[in-house]
Amino acid sequence: MSFFSFELDPALAADPVFELHKHGKMAIAPTVPLASRDDLSLAYTPGVARVCEAIAEDPALYADYTWTANTVAVITDGSAVLGLGNIGPKAAMPVMEGKSILFKQFGGVDSIPICLDTQDTEAIIATVKALAPSFGGINLEDISAPRCFEIERRLDAALDIPVFHDDQHGTAVVTLAALRNAAKLLGRRLGDLRVVISGAGAAGVAITQALIAAGVEGANVIVCDSRGIIHAERGDLTPIKAELAAATNISGRTGGIAEALIGADVLIGVSGGAIAESAVSQMAPDGVIFALANPTPEVPPAIAHKYAAIVATGRSDFPNQINNVLAFPGIFRGALDCGASTITEGMKVAAAEAIAGVVADDLRPTAIVPSPLDPRVAPAVASAVVAAAIRDGVARRARPATSPVSVTL
């Protein structure tokens, strides 16, 4: 086996991060023996032709006799990668590889990273539709807003397999799980919380939708973008933000983040912009601050703890890490296992409830969500997703006996 080689800066060559990433972080391996002529005859020609003919006669056999029932495409255009921004498809590949190995490690789901050399909405949609027969699900990743909303919506409508933009819904699911447990610790109802969301990109929109679907009153939610509070009288709103304005901030509050936070119980930051301590100090006492920007939270934890009873970040070096790995492996595990044709709002809410439930017996202010390494999470999420898919009428088959739980349709 040979790889392209090049001279690397000695300092980088000695860096353990670069050493770990050398030649990538994943590979494809056969699952059947190829040690004899009989093995070749079964796995390839002539035996494979019989399977092809059977699928041609009955396409329903496709999921049983190919890898598709357990394989997801992880697709990006490199336009919004982590906190790095629009770095393009080649620079995005290490992140997509990382996503793929997380799928495998935590959900037992195989996945292929695909970095598209286009940021044109129509080209991305057409390409993913053309690739879809090779996969059982599509995980869209690191595609910038507002294009990500249309891409996901149209692909979900066009394809009969799950399409999931993790930057939106993975973040929303884990945030909802954390807020459920925070409210429980504080003896509060979701419906009574006054929530401010700083950021109206992919994550901010999805979090707003998830919280309202779970019982937070839209009237009690205020969303802020870089220009301030989103309200119906603003003339600069995109269609997505106009929908937010119609569903939230019913009192019509105006101004910036400082005005939004007056009397708020909850601050959820997904904007990457710093929020002044003077604004945070106007929140109601014993509240909740989720400052999720990485690597620099919108509110430093030391300041957040001065004004909130419960604090979470997106970082692994502080308690209560809001990490998407708690959601997407189990969500896809469940969706694939029951042959879900789509991922419904009910499935997302069920996933959040399952994540919250994992730590229900050991709930405390520094542990409102499980560790990303907790082996209980993905099976719990998968089971809840299957049950919700059945309730929502999108499950098409019983869960395989090899999965963590068994469900009979």
Side-chain angles (χ1 to χ4, degrees):
M1 181 180 296
S2 64
F3 295 92
F4 292 108
S5 62
F6 57 92
E7 293 296 325
L8 188 64
D9 183 299
L12 297 181
D15 187 327
V17 171
F18 281 83
E19 182 62 28
L20 182 143
H21 283 78
K22 192 173 182 179
H23 306 317
K25 302 187 290 291
M26 58 184 291
I28 293 177
T31 61
V32 296
L34 294 173
S36 67
R37 290 183 63 182
D38 285 345
D39 292 340
L40 290 173
S41 295
L42 290 171
Y44 200 53
T45 184
V48 71
R50 292 169 54 193
V51 180
C52 293
E53 290 172 336
I55 294 172
E57 287 286 329
D58 182 5
L61 297 175
Y62 181 62
D64 292 326
Y65 293 102
T66 69
W67 76 343
T68 55
N70 194 54
T71 307
V72 170
V74 178
I75 298 179
T76 190
D77 65 355
S79 62
V81 180
L82 298 179
L84 305 174
N86 188 356
I87 60 175
K90 290 184 178 179
M93 181 57 85
V95 178
M96 301 309 112
E97 287 184 358
K99 199 78 173 191
S100 290
I101 61 176
L102 294 177
F103 264 116
K104 187 65 173 180
Q105 179 69 24
F106 296 107
V109 175
D110 294 320
S111 60
I112 300 296
I114 298 173
C115 297
L116 302 178
D117 192 14
T118 178
Q119 294 184 2
D120 178 78
T121 295
E122 297 301 328
I124 292 171
I125 292 169
T127 301
V128 176
K129 287 169 65 176
L131 290 170
S134 296
F135 301 98
I138 305 294
N139 184 90
L140 300 173
E141 191 76 21
D142 292 347
I143 299 174
S144 63
R147 295 174 309 117
C148 60
F149 303 115
E150 181 178 1
I151 290 169
E152 184 195 40
R153 177 182 57 80
R154 288 174 56 186
L155 286 173
D156 186 51
L159 301 177
D160 65 348
I161 58 176
V163 177
F164 187 82
H165 185 207
D166 187 53
D167 302 304
Q168 292 183 60
H169 308 300
T171 305
V173 165
V174 183
T175 301
L176 174 57
L179 189 58
R180 279 189 176 280
N181 277 344
K184 184 177 180 180
L185 275 174
L186 297 174
R188 306 287 298 276
R189 293 176 58 254
L190 285 180
D192 296 332
L193 296 175
R194 292 164 292 173
V195 180
V196 173
I197 298 172
S198 177
V205 171
I207 289 169
T208 303
Q209 294 169 339
L211 296 187
I212 293 173
V216 175
E217 293 291 336
N220 291 338
V221 177
I222 294 177
V223 183
C224 296
D225 64 9
S226 60
R227 298 186 179 185
I229 294 173
I230 292 176
H231 57 86
E233 300 305 313
R234 273 181 48 178
D236 60 346
L237 300 179
T238 65
I240 291 293
K241 291 181 181 180
E243 291 178 9
L244 285 181
T248 63
N249 188 22
I250 305 304
S251 64
R253 189 178 297 193
T254 61
I257 187 68
E259 287 74 21
L261 284 174
I262 296 172
D265 300 302
V266 179
L267 166 62
I268 299 173
V270 283
S271 65
I275 299 175
E277 181 176 354
S278 58
V280 176
S281 69
Q282 299 302 305
M283 294 179 64
D286 296 323
V288 176
I289 295 177
F290 295 168
L292 305 184
N294 257 322
T296 306
E298 292 88 349
V299 182
I303 292 176
H305 279 292
K306 291 170 61 176
Y307 303 103
I310 298 175
V311 175
T313 72
R315 293 176 51 140
S316 60
D317 53 347
F318 292 106
N320 296 327
Q321 183 188 18
I322 307 299
N323 191 318
N324 288 18
V325 76
L326 291 169
F328 68 83
I331 288 173
F332 269 100
R333 176 75 278 152
L336 291 172
D337 284 345
C338 69
S341 58
T342 188
I343 295 175
T344 65
E345 287 300 318
M347 293 161 73
K348 297 169 197 172
V349 171
E353 292 172 347
I355 293 167
V358 168
V359 291
D361 293 334
D362 191 29
L363 198 56
R364 56 190 188 278
T366 56
I368 57 172
V369 288
S371 161
L373 300 175
D374 192 320
R376 299 172 295 171
V377 176
V381 171
S383 179
V385 165
V386 169
I390 294 170
R391 288 195 303 269
D392 291 347
V394 298
R396 292 178 292 195
R397 64 173 176 268
R399 194 167 203 176
T402 55
S403 291
V405 298
S406 179
V407 174
T408 301
L409 297 183

